[in-house]
Amino acid sequence: MQDARPDDASGPPRGARWAELAALLLAGVQLARFLPPDFAVDDAWISFRIARNLVEHGVLTYDPAAPPVEGMTNLLWTLLSAGWIALLPGVDPIWPARLLGAGLHLATVALLADLGRRLAGPRWGPVAALAWAGSGWTAFYAMSGLETPLWSLLFVAALHRFHAAATGRPRAWRAVGALLALLAATRPEGVMVGGLLAGAAILVAGRAGLAAALPFALGLAALEAFRLATYGALVPNTFHAKPPDPAAGLRYLGGWLLWGLSLIHI
């Protein structure tokens, strides 16, 4: 009998399954720490105002009386926000955003468990899930009202489908490309990440990898065509309003190493 491969989809053994359930429970406990509304990040309301202007005035901008400006860096999240603002006009949009963020965070924990199991074997699924679930940093941003949990889930899902495609499921390349296109629409960094993974798909699978690269390229072209037609620019306004600051980048990196990886506290 052949040994099970790391990407064996037969499911985790009972002990690993219980550990993964414990990771989901831990993620829920961490989310509950940030349930009070004062943990929401004020930047979320910038996106909500832009989304409300789309609903009420048909213009995706902060000030509908001025020429349109892409004043947010989370286009897809802002468009989603417009959906619940339209459906729930009397509800502060932060509450649907936080509820959705919590759900996306839990989904990421579950997907990481499966990805870890497929990459390294059944014992590593719970390790990946617990590492993400135990981080107060990821739980905080899941409850912030911002796009971070959507970005995280799309990125992990793209890696999950990438591995599936590279290990014998070539139809999954199309899903990789679609997820990368959504990643680019969620935050501008998705353009870089998507380009790298689309290139990696071609390196790994050759011509078959074009099934990932082409949907990403088409999605990116549609995104930039929308930006150019709506705002007359290919990048959000923040690229011009906020000059590069390497020191701030290093502070972000240091904060992630300390709190994002739970090296200081959980």
Side-chain angles (χ1 to χ4, degrees), residues 2 34 61 90 98 119 171 186 193 203 223 236 238 250:
Q2 291 183 332
F34 303 104
T61 189
R98 300 183 85 206
L119 284 173
R171 291 185 179 180
T186 303
V193 174
L203 289 176
L223 173 66
T238 50
L250 289 174

Side-chain angles (χ1 to χ4, degrees), residues 179-208:
L179 289 164
L180 294 180
L182 292 174
L183 202 64
T186 303
R187 282 197 60 83
E189 299 94 314
V191 176
M192 178 188 70
V193 174
L196 291 173
L197 287 178
I202 296 174
L203 289 176
V204 168
R207 191 170 182 177

Side-chain angles (χ1 to χ4, degrees), residues 166 185 237:
N237 187 59

Side-chain angles (χ1 to χ4, degrees), residues 149-183:
L150 176 61
W151 162 271
S152 301
L153 180 61
L154 289 172
F155 179 64
V156 173
L159 294 180
H160 187 278
R161 291 296 81 201
F162 191 106
H163 180 263
T167 54
R169 300 176 181 85
R171 291 185 179 180
W173 287 124
R174 290 193 292 270
V176 172
L179 289 164
L180 294 180
L182 292 174
L183 202 64

